[in-house]
Amino acid sequence: MATASPSDPAAAVDPAQQARDVLSLARSRPARLGAGRLVCLDGPAGSGKSTLGAAVLAAAPEATLVHTDDLLDGWDGLPALPATLAALLAPLARGEHTAYRRYDWHAGRFGDRVDLAPGPLLVLEGVGSGTRLLDPVRSVLVWVDAPAALRRERWLARDGEASEPHRDRWVPAEQRLFEAEQTRNRADLLLDGSRRTVT
């Protein structure tokens, strides 16, 4: 397991460089999702996974980015996510197309259908993407983390104060999942999502 976190707490964290590190590692590994590679970006809510996912996509235009938030059946959908991911990716491993319905968080139901074609690189970003069920098809598992206070600040900035009751349920659920999966311990790369001094 490689660690790419700065030793100096004041050091800048550059998502673009982190994305290059992720891609370099992925490209050094065999394709295991059919003819393509799967990279999973996992870690607690607010840790910087989405920012890293966008940076990977910017550095690798051939990539497809899928957010696990789009696959969850609402705030209590996390326990079912591993099985959902395994079922979604099984056709890609066979070189076939697959699809999912994107969850509409405002309407509280699944909405638009999203088709996924086999490709050279699939980036799966979000809590739960590191499930062991994907080990046979995954090339790289990345753990992204940040201090708890910063993660909470980002949560509130994104979802507002009204989301606090949901957060009170979500955080224990993600902790249970991480403990059961031993996600951080199984990661190929540990990244700091703080971006403390990047402007």
Side-chain angles (χ1 to χ4, degrees):
M1 176 186 353
T3 301
S5 299
S7 56
D8 176 1
V13 176
D14 179 6
Q17 180 58 56
Q18 290 180 333
R20 290 190 290 272
D21 293 342
V22 170
L23 288 168
S24 176
L25 181 57
R27 289 166 177 157
S28 75
R29 300 275 179 88
R32 302 175 74 188
L33 185 64
R37 290 174 173 83
L38 172 64
V39 171
C40 296
L41 312 177
D42 207 336
S47 60
K49 300 179 301 298
S50 295
T51 297
L52 178 59
V56 171
L57 192 61
E62 75 278 11
T64 299
L65 179 63
V66 174
H67 304 282
T68 60
D69 285 357
D70 291 341
L71 306 173
L72 294 170
D73 189 2
W75 292 106
D76 298 311
L78 194 54
L81 182 64
T84 298
L85 292 174
L88 175 66
L89 299 191
L92 294 179
R94 299 190 299 267
E96 302 169 2
H97 288 241
T98 190
Y100 63 92
R101 296 237 173 239
R102 181 184 288 118
Y103 190 76
D104 184 331
W105 288 86
H106 297 291
R109 64 176 186 273
F110 287 99
D112 298 340
R113 176 187 167 97
V114 179
D115 293 312
L116 280 179
L121 179 62
L122 176 62
V123 180
L124 189 57
E125 175 277 315
V127 173
S129 64
T131 175
R132 283 189 178 90
L133 292 180
L134 299 185
D135 284 356
V137 297
R138 179 171 35 235
S139 293
V140 175
L141 171 56
V142 181
W143 176 266
V144 185
D145 211 341
L150 178 57
R151 297 198 314 264
R152 181 177 183 276
E153 178 184 317
R154 288 173 175 171
W155 176 294
L156 294 176
R158 182 188 62 195
D159 296 321
E161 296 283 346
S163 70
E164 279 278 47
H166 298 302
R167 186 176 186 278
D168 290 342
R169 299 199 321 272
W170 177 270
V171 170
E174 71 175 14
Q175 289 174 342
R176 286 192 297 272
L177 181 64
F178 294 147
E179 288 171 9
E181 296 277 0
Q182 289 294 296
T183 315
R184 186 184 189 280
N185 293 340
R186 293 170 37 250
D188 301 297
L189 196 59
L190 305 179
L191 295 181
D192 179 358
S194 303
R195 303 187 306 283
R196 296 181 185 86
T197 62
V198 173
T199 58

